[in-house]
Each structure stands twice: as C-alpha cells, then as structure tokens.
Amino acid sequence: MNRKASVVWRGNLRDGAGTLSTESGVLRDTDYSFRARFEKGNGKDGNGKDGNGKDGNGTNLEELIAASLGGCFSMTLSDELERAGLHPERIETTAIARLEESKGSWTLTRIELEVRAKIPNANQNHFIDAALAAKTNSPMARLLNTNISMIAHLDT
C-alpha cells in the first residue's frame, strides 16, 4: 500500500512558502510556510505576508505529524482493546509535537499524547495495558521512533 502527497515550495526558506496536496484530496494546495511553522505559534509578530502572498496562516509539518500519530495511535488502541475483548465507544487523542532549537538546528524532540476513552466493562489496568501497547505498536510511532509520552484517562 502506497500513499502519496505532493509539495511545491517557492522562494527562499524565510520568505518562501509552499503548498501541500494529498492523493485523497483532503489536503489540496494547503499553504505552509516558514512563518506558519516557526513564527506564528511562537508569539512572534505574524502581520507579514508569506511567499504565497498570504498572511502566514496555513499548516505546519509538526501539526501534520501530530495528527498522523494521534490518528494512528487511536486506531491501534481500538484494535488492542478489541483483541482484549473490549469495545470502545469513544477514543479522543490529543497529540503535541515538540519542535526545539538547539545550536541553530531544529529537531522534533518528542510527542506528547493525551488519550481519553469510554470503554464499557474496561478497568484502568485493561486500558493502560492497551494504551501502552498501542503507543509501541502503532505504525506511525514505529516510523517516528522518537520519545512519546502519554497520559491516559478512562471515563466511567
């Protein structure tokens, strides 16, 4: 199974901008830029235009990674629970990708997951075991091979 995305970048790093598109069409010419990635969410001035002539809004690569991991983790958790004979009603996952600068270089240093689930007939031990297995076994987590922390809440 192959999944495809295409990217166009125009200009230099700081003033340039690009667009992302996915084969499914969910992302189609979605803007991304240095400003959206490194400045907008950091409390810096966001009044300038990016290389697409837009206001610097758009996605950033780290939130796409966070969404991918959160979605993959949630699906894997559902599978782990079903293997244990449990049937989740709802799994809500928030993923935060932490990008840090060190010695002039940016690195995705860790991802923090917070998951909340409603699972009839589950106890905390069942849930934690399944969540830890999902954190280890999800295809996206294996690909990223980074420090992933997790907080897990079981709703009653």
Side-chain angles (χ1 to χ4, degrees):
M1 178 182 336
N2 295 319
R3 300 293 187 224
K4 182 178 169 184
S6 58
V7 178
V8 175
W9 183 264
R10 293 177 181 88
N12 65 32
L13 175 63
R14 290 198 178 271
D15 299 322
T19 57
L20 307 164
S21 297
T22 56
E23 185 174 36
S24 68
V26 171
L27 298 178
R28 186 173 311 280
D29 296 327
T30 302
D31 294 326
Y32 80 110
S33 66
F34 180 91
R35 180 176 297 286
R37 188 173 185 197
F38 294 105
E39 294 177 1
K40 188 166 176 56
N42 294 335
K44 295 181 182 176
D45 181 22
N47 293 329
K49 302 286 183 193
D50 67 18
N52 287 331
K54 300 189 178 174
D55 64 6
N57 288 330
T59 192
N60 62 72
L61 305 175
E62 290 70 34
E63 76 180 357
L64 295 173
I65 289 170
S68 294
L69 177 62
C72 189
F73 167 82
S74 296
M75 291 174 76
T76 306
L77 176 56
S78 178
D79 185 50
E80 293 288 343
L81 290 164
E82 288 201 38
R83 289 178 195 214
L86 299 167
H87 305 287
E89 287 181 11
R90 186 187 73 253
I91 298 171
E92 298 175 19
T93 304
T94 301
I96 300 170
R98 183 155 325 262
L99 186 67
E100 297 177 351
E101 184 179 18
S102 176
K103 299 177 185 172
S105 195
W106 290 92
T107 302
L108 185 60
T109 57
R110 66 183 172 274
I111 298 178
E112 301 161 8
L113 294 175
E114 184 166 359
V115 60
R116 179 174 299 278
K118 182 168 180 155
I119 309 158
N121 304 315
N123 65 37
Q124 189 69 20
N125 289 338
H126 292 137
F127 178 55
I128 294 299
D129 288 347
L132 289 171
K135 186 178 90 138
T136 301
N137 297 330
S138 81
M140 198 59 65
R142 290 193 317 260
L143 170 69
L144 294 172
N145 192 25
T146 190
N147 181 10
I148 300 172
S149 62
M150 180 176 60
I151 299 171
H153 308 277
L154 179 62
D155 290 343
T156 55

mmCIF file of all heavy atoms in Angstrom, residues 59-92:
data_model
loop_
_atom_site.group_PDB
_atom_site.id
_atom_site.type_symbol
_atom_site.label_atom_id
_atom_site.label_comp_id
_atom_site.label_asym_id
_atom_site.label_seq_id
_atom_site.Cartn_x
_atom_site.Cartn_y
_atom_site.Cartn_z
ATOM 1 N N THR A 59 -0.897 25.397 7.476
ATOM 2 C CA THR A 59 -0.498 24.314 8.358
ATOM 3 C C THR A 59 1.000 24.365 8.601
ATOM 4 O O THR A 59 1.701 25.214 8.060
ATOM 5 C CB THR A 59 -0.931 22.950 7.766
ATOM 6 O OG1 THR A 59 -0.769 21.954 8.763
ATOM 7 C CG2 THR A 59 -0.139 22.598 6.521
ATOM 8 N N ASN A 60 1.460 23.472 9.434
ATOM 9 C CA ASN A 60 2.899 23.278 9.595
ATOM 10 C C ASN A 60 3.144 21.784 9.676
ATOM 11 O O ASN A 60 2.240 21.002 9.978
ATOM 12 C CB ASN A 60 3.444 24.048 10.802
ATOM 13 C CG ASN A 60 2.831 23.572 12.085
ATOM 14 O OD1 ASN A 60 3.124 22.478 12.553
ATOM 15 N ND2 ASN A 60 1.966 24.396 12.664
ATOM 16 N N LEU A 61 4.331 21.395 9.396
ATOM 17 C CA LEU A 61 4.639 19.978 9.282
ATOM 18 C C LEU A 61 4.484 19.242 10.603
ATOM 19 O O LEU A 61 4.069 18.082 10.629
ATOM 20 C CB LEU A 61 6.051 19.819 8.723
ATOM 21 C CG LEU A 61 6.258 20.569 7.394
ATOM 22 C CD1 LEU A 61 7.694 20.484 6.951
ATOM 23 C CD2 LEU A 61 5.304 20.073 6.341
ATOM 24 N N GLU A 62 4.770 19.923 11.701
ATOM 25 C CA GLU A 62 4.680 19.267 13.007
ATOM 26 C C GLU A 62 3.237 18.955 13.388
ATOM 27 O O GLU A 62 2.968 17.900 13.972
ATOM 28 C CB GLU A 62 5.367 20.117 14.070
ATOM 29 C CG GLU A 62 6.872 20.164 13.918
ATOM 30 C CD GLU A 62 7.356 20.955 12.698
ATOM 31 O OE1 GLU A 62 6.694 21.959 12.327
ATOM 32 O OE2 GLU A 62 8.380 20.561 12.109
ATOM 33 N N GLU A 63 2.290 19.839 13.058
ATOM 34 C CA GLU A 63 0.901 19.518 13.387
ATOM 35 C C GLU A 63 0.388 18.387 12.508
ATOM 36 O O GLU A 63 -0.450 17.599 12.935
ATOM 37 C CB GLU A 63 -0.011 20.745 13.328
ATOM 38 C CG GLU A 63 -0.394 21.224 11.978
ATOM 39 C CD GLU A 63 -1.299 22.448 12.007
ATOM 40 O OE1 GLU A 63 -1.690 22.916 13.095
ATOM 41 O OE2 GLU A 63 -1.613 22.954 10.919
ATOM 42 N N LEU A 64 0.903 18.271 11.299
ATOM 43 C CA LEU A 64 0.515 17.144 10.455
ATOM 44 C C LEU A 64 1.065 15.832 11.019
ATOM 45 O O LEU A 64 0.380 14.805 11.009
ATOM 46 C CB LEU A 64 0.998 17.360 9.024
ATOM 47 C CG LEU A 64 0.359 18.539 8.282
ATOM 48 C CD1 LEU A 64 1.041 18.750 6.937
ATOM 49 C CD2 LEU A 64 -1.130 18.340 8.121
ATOM 50 N N ILE A 65 2.285 15.866 11.522
ATOM 51 C CA ILE A 65 2.863 14.682 12.168
ATOM 52 C C ILE A 65 2.067 14.337 13.422
ATOM 53 O O ILE A 65 1.747 13.167 13.670
ATOM 54 C CB ILE A 65 4.358 14.897 12.485
ATOM 55 C CG1 ILE A 65 5.153 14.896 11.179
ATOM 56 C CG2 ILE A 65 4.879 13.839 13.457
ATOM 57 C CD1 ILE A 65 6.591 15.335 11.316
ATOM 58 N N ALA A 66 1.734 15.354 14.228
ATOM 59 C CA ALA A 66 0.948 15.118 15.445
ATOM 60 C C ALA A 66 -0.408 14.505 15.095
ATOM 61 O O ALA A 66 -0.852 13.545 15.736
ATOM 62 C CB ALA A 66 0.768 16.418 16.230
ATOM 63 N N ALA A 67 -1.066 15.024 14.074
ATOM 64 C CA ALA A 67 -2.366 14.480 13.659
ATOM 65 C C ALA A 67 -2.213 13.046 13.167
ATOM 66 O O ALA A 67 -3.046 12.183 13.476
ATOM 67 C CB ALA A 67 -2.987 15.358 12.574
ATOM 68 N N SER A 68 -1.156 12.782 12.419
ATOM 69 C CA SER A 68 -0.927 11.424 11.916
ATOM 70 C C SER A 68 -0.693 10.447 13.052
ATOM 71 O O SER A 68 -1.263 9.351 13.070
ATOM 72 C CB SER A 68 0.274 11.402 10.968
ATOM 73 O OG SER A 68 0.003 12.145 9.812
ATOM 74 N N LEU A 69 0.142 10.825 14.009
ATOM 75 C CA LEU A 69 0.401 9.938 15.133
ATOM 76 C C LEU A 69 -0.855 9.768 15.986
ATOM 77 O O LEU A 69 -1.197 8.644 16.376
ATOM 78 C CB LEU A 69 1.554 10.441 16.001
ATOM 79 C CG LEU A 69 1.823 9.574 17.238
ATOM 80 C CD1 LEU A 69 2.231 8.159 16.847
ATOM 81 C CD2 LEU A 69 2.872 10.216 18.126
ATOM 82 N N GLY A 70 -1.561 10.862 16.270
ATOM 83 C CA GLY A 70 -2.776 10.769 17.080
ATOM 84 C C GLY A 70 -3.818 9.867 16.452
ATOM 85 O O GLY A 70 -4.436 9.033 17.117
ATOM 86 N N GLY A 71 -4.015 10.003 15.158
ATOM 87 C CA GLY A 71 -4.987 9.169 14.453
ATOM 88 C C GLY A 71 -4.562 7.713 14.417
ATOM 89 O O GLY A 71 -5.369 6.807 14.663
ATOM 90 N N CYS A 72 -3.303 7.471 14.125
ATOM 91 C CA CYS A 72 -2.788 6.108 14.052
ATOM 92 C C CYS A 72 -2.835 5.445 15.425
ATOM 93 O O CYS A 72 -3.253 4.285 15.562
ATOM 94 C CB CYS A 72 -1.365 6.140 13.505
ATOM 95 S SG CYS A 72 -0.688 4.514 13.131
ATOM 96 N N PHE A 73 -2.427 6.176 16.450
ATOM 97 C CA PHE A 73 -2.474 5.657 17.824
ATOM 98 C C PHE A 73 -3.909 5.283 18.204
ATOM 99 O O PHE A 73 -4.154 4.211 18.756
ATOM 100 C CB PHE A 73 -1.908 6.694 18.802
ATOM 101 C CG PHE A 73 -2.206 6.370 20.233
ATOM 102 C CD1 PHE A 73 -1.419 5.464 20.927
ATOM 103 C CD2 PHE A 73 -3.282 6.955 20.874
ATOM 104 C CE1 PHE A 73 -1.706 5.147 22.251
ATOM 105 C CE2 PHE A 73 -3.573 6.646 22.196
ATOM 106 C CZ PHE A 73 -2.789 5.735 22.886
ATOM 107 N N SER A 74 -4.871 6.152 17.903
ATOM 108 C CA SER A 74 -6.269 5.892 18.263
ATOM 109 C C SER A 74 -6.795 4.635 17.576
ATOM 110 O O SER A 74 -7.496 3.825 18.198
ATOM 111 C CB SER A 74 -7.152 7.087 17.903
ATOM 112 O OG SER A 74 -6.783 8.213 18.667
ATOM 113 N N MET A 75 -6.459 4.463 16.320
ATOM 114 C CA MET A 75 -6.887 3.267 15.592
ATOM 115 C C MET A 75 -6.234 2.013 16.182
ATOM 116 O O MET A 75 -6.892 0.981 16.360
ATOM 117 C CB MET A 75 -6.538 3.400 14.109
ATOM 118 C CG MET A 75 -7.349 4.457 13.388
ATOM 119 S SD MET A 75 -6.798 4.695 11.687
ATOM 120 C CE MET A 75 -7.494 3.232 10.925
ATOM 121 N N THR A 76 -4.944 2.110 16.502
ATOM 122 C CA THR A 76 -4.233 0.972 17.078
ATOM 123 C C THR A 76 -4.765 0.649 18.464
ATOM 124 O O THR A 76 -4.921 -0.524 18.824
ATOM 125 C CB THR A 76 -2.717 1.242 17.114
ATOM 126 O OG1 THR A 76 -2.266 1.589 15.801
ATOM 127 C CG2 THR A 76 -1.944 0.027 17.595
ATOM 128 N N LEU A 77 -5.089 1.674 19.253
ATOM 129 C CA LEU A 77 -5.676 1.448 20.571
ATOM 130 C C LEU A 77 -7.016 0.721 20.444
ATOM 131 O O LEU A 77 -7.297 -0.226 21.196
ATOM 132 C CB LEU A 77 -5.843 2.769 21.321
ATOM 133 C CG LEU A 77 -6.533 2.693 22.681
ATOM 134 C CD1 LEU A 77 -5.835 1.706 23.620
ATOM 135 C CD2 LEU A 77 -6.595 4.094 23.305
ATOM 136 N N SER A 78 -7.826 1.120 19.501
ATOM 137 C CA SER A 78 -9.098 0.451 19.270
ATOM 138 C C SER A 78 -8.870 -1.030 18.968
ATOM 139 O O SER A 78 -9.561 -1.913 19.505
ATOM 140 C CB SER A 78 -9.840 1.122 18.114
ATOM 141 O OG SER A 78 -11.047 0.457 17.848
ATOM 142 N N ASP A 79 -7.884 -1.321 18.138
ATOM 143 C CA ASP A 79 -7.560 -2.703 17.798
ATOM 144 C C ASP A 79 -7.057 -3.474 19.024
ATOM 145 O O ASP A 79 -7.471 -4.610 19.263
ATOM 146 C CB ASP A 79 -6.515 -2.730 16.686
ATOM 147 C CG ASP A 79 -6.219 -4.132 16.204
ATOM 148 O OD1 ASP A 79 -7.172 -4.883 15.902
ATOM 149 O OD2 ASP A 79 -5.022 -4.488 16.123
ATOM 150 N N GLU A 80 -6.176 -2.865 19.799
ATOM 151 C CA GLU A 80 -5.661 -3.522 21.011
ATOM 152 C C GLU A 80 -6.800 -3.839 21.983
ATOM 153 O O GLU A 80 -6.823 -4.913 22.590
ATOM 154 C CB GLU A 80 -4.614 -2.645 21.699
ATOM 155 C CG GLU A 80 -3.326 -2.456 20.929
ATOM 156 C CD GLU A 80 -2.441 -3.690 20.884
ATOM 157 O OE1 GLU A 80 -2.632 -4.621 21.706
ATOM 158 O OE2 GLU A 80 -1.546 -3.736 20.020
ATOM 159 N N LEU A 81 -7.728 -2.909 22.135
ATOM 160 C CA LEU A 81 -8.866 -3.133 23.032
ATOM 161 C C LEU A 81 -9.754 -4.270 22.528
ATOM 162 O O LEU A 81 -10.188 -5.129 23.302
ATOM 163 C CB LEU A 81 -9.670 -1.842 23.193
ATOM 164 C CG LEU A 81 -8.964 -0.744 23.987
ATOM 165 C CD1 LEU A 81 -9.645 0.604 23.762
ATOM 166 C CD2 LEU A 81 -8.918 -1.100 25.468
ATOM 167 N N GLU A 82 -10.009 -4.280 21.232
ATOM 168 C CA GLU A 82 -10.841 -5.344 20.676
ATOM 169 C C GLU A 82 -10.178 -6.707 20.837
ATOM 170 O O GLU A 82 -10.849 -7.703 21.105
ATOM 171 C CB GLU A 82 -11.176 -5.051 19.219
ATOM 172 C CG GLU A 82 -12.184 -3.911 19.121
ATOM 173 C CD GLU A 82 -12.926 -3.879 17.814
ATOM 174 O OE1 GLU A 82 -13.266 -4.957 17.287
ATOM 175 O OE2 GLU A 82 -13.166 -2.764 17.336
ATOM 176 N N ARG A 83 -8.867 -6.766 20.709
ATOM 177 C CA ARG A 83 -8.140 -8.036 20.924
ATOM 178 C C ARG A 83 -8.299 -8.526 22.359
ATOM 179 O O ARG A 83 -8.216 -9.722 22.611
ATOM 180 C CB ARG A 83 -6.660 -7.860 20.612
ATOM 181 C CG ARG A 83 -6.356 -7.707 19.153
ATOM 182 C CD ARG A 83 -4.881 -7.494 18.944
ATOM 183 N NE ARG A 83 -4.617 -7.002 17.628
ATOM 184 C CZ ARG A 83 -3.546 -7.308 16.928
ATOM 185 N NH1 ARG A 83 -2.628 -8.104 17.449
ATOM 186 N NH2 ARG A 83 -3.376 -6.819 15.739
ATOM 187 N N ALA A 84 -8.505 -7.575 23.278
ATOM 188 C CA ALA A 84 -8.716 -7.928 24.686
ATOM 189 C C ALA A 84 -10.194 -8.165 24.991
ATOM 190 O O ALA A 84 -10.563 -8.323 26.157
ATOM 191 C CB ALA A 84 -8.149 -6.816 25.578
ATOM 192 N N GLY A 85 -11.035 -8.163 23.963
ATOM 193 C CA GLY A 85 -12.459 -8.409 24.155
ATOM 194 C C GLY A 85 -13.251 -7.188 24.592
ATOM 195 O O GLY A 85 -14.377 -7.312 25.059
ATOM 196 N N LEU A 86 -12.670 -6.009 24.432
ATOM 197 C CA LEU A 86 -13.336 -4.764 24.827
ATOM 198 C C LEU A 86 -13.733 -3.982 23.581
ATOM 199 O O LEU A 86 -13.068 -4.065 22.545
ATOM 200 C CB LEU A 86 -12.408 -3.931 25.711
ATOM 201 C CG LEU A 86 -11.994 -4.625 27.012
ATOM 202 C CD1 LEU A 86 -10.838 -3.891 27.660
ATOM 203 C CD2 LEU A 86 -13.191 -4.721 27.951
ATOM 204 N N HIS A 87 -14.817 -3.224 23.693
ATOM 205 C CA HIS A 87 -15.331 -2.496 22.532
ATOM 206 C C HIS A 87 -15.481 -1.020 22.890
ATOM 207 O O HIS A 87 -16.468 -0.624 23.513
ATOM 208 C CB HIS A 87 -16.662 -3.108 22.097
ATOM 209 C CG HIS A 87 -16.548 -4.573 21.824
ATOM 210 N ND1 HIS A 87 -15.918 -5.058 20.699
ATOM 211 C CD2 HIS A 87 -16.918 -5.655 22.553
ATOM 212 C CE1 HIS A 87 -15.928 -6.372 20.737
ATOM 213 N NE2 HIS A 87 -16.520 -6.755 21.855
ATOM 214 N N PRO A 88 -14.503 -0.193 22.490
ATOM 215 C CA PRO A 88 -14.550 1.228 22.851
ATOM 216 C C PRO A 88 -15.715 1.950 22.187
ATOM 217 O O PRO A 88 -16.020 1.699 21.025
ATOM 218 C CB PRO A 88 -13.209 1.772 22.349
ATOM 219 C CG PRO A 88 -12.791 0.824 21.281
ATOM 220 C CD PRO A 88 -13.346 -0.516 21.651
ATOM 221 N N GLU A 89 -16.343 2.829 22.963
ATOM 222 C CA GLU A 89 -17.373 3.707 22.398
ATOM 223 C C GLU A 89 -16.744 4.952 21.802
ATOM 224 O O GLU A 89 -17.208 5.477 20.798
ATOM 225 C CB GLU A 89 -18.364 4.125 23.491
ATOM 226 C CG GLU A 89 -19.295 3.036 23.925
ATOM 227 C CD GLU A 89 -20.275 3.515 24.992
ATOM 228 O OE1 GLU A 89 -20.377 4.742 25.248
ATOM 229 O OE2 GLU A 89 -20.932 2.648 25.588
ATOM 230 N N ARG A 90 -15.689 5.439 22.451
ATOM 231 C CA ARG A 90 -15.065 6.695 22.025
ATOM 232 C C ARG A 90 -13.609 6.712 22.481
ATOM 233 O O ARG A 90 -13.295 6.328 23.595
ATOM 234 C CB ARG A 90 -15.815 7.868 22.645
ATOM 235 C CG ARG A 90 -15.352 9.229 22.168
ATOM 236 C CD ARG A 90 -15.999 10.388 22.925
ATOM 237 N NE ARG A 90 -15.443 10.495 24.274
ATOM 238 C CZ ARG A 90 -16.056 10.158 25.396
ATOM 239 N NH1 ARG A 90 -17.271 9.654 25.381
ATOM 240 N NH2 ARG A 90 -15.477 10.301 26.565
ATOM 241 N N ILE A 91 -12.736 7.163 21.605
ATOM 242 C CA ILE A 91 -11.330 7.398 21.934
ATOM 243 C C ILE A 91 -11.002 8.794 21.435
ATOM 244 O O ILE A 91 -11.168 9.083 20.250
ATOM 245 C CB ILE A 91 -10.394 6.374 21.265
ATOM 246 C CG1 ILE A 91 -10.709 4.958 21.769
ATOM 247 C CG2 ILE A 91 -8.935 6.731 21.516
ATOM 248 C CD1 ILE A 91 -9.998 3.858 21.013
ATOM 249 N N GLU A 92 -10.580 9.670 22.325
ATOM 250 C CA GLU A 92 -10.181 11.036 21.962
ATOM 251 C C GLU A 92 -8.703 11.189 22.277
ATOM 252 O O GLU A 92 -8.282 10.983 23.416
ATOM 253 C CB GLU A 92 -10.968 12.061 22.773
ATOM 254 C CG GLU A 92 -12.447 12.028 22.538
ATOM 255 C CD GLU A 92 -13.200 12.978 23.458
ATOM 256 O OE1 GLU A 92 -12.578 13.905 24.028
ATOM 257 O OE2 GLU A 92 -14.408 12.782 23.625
#
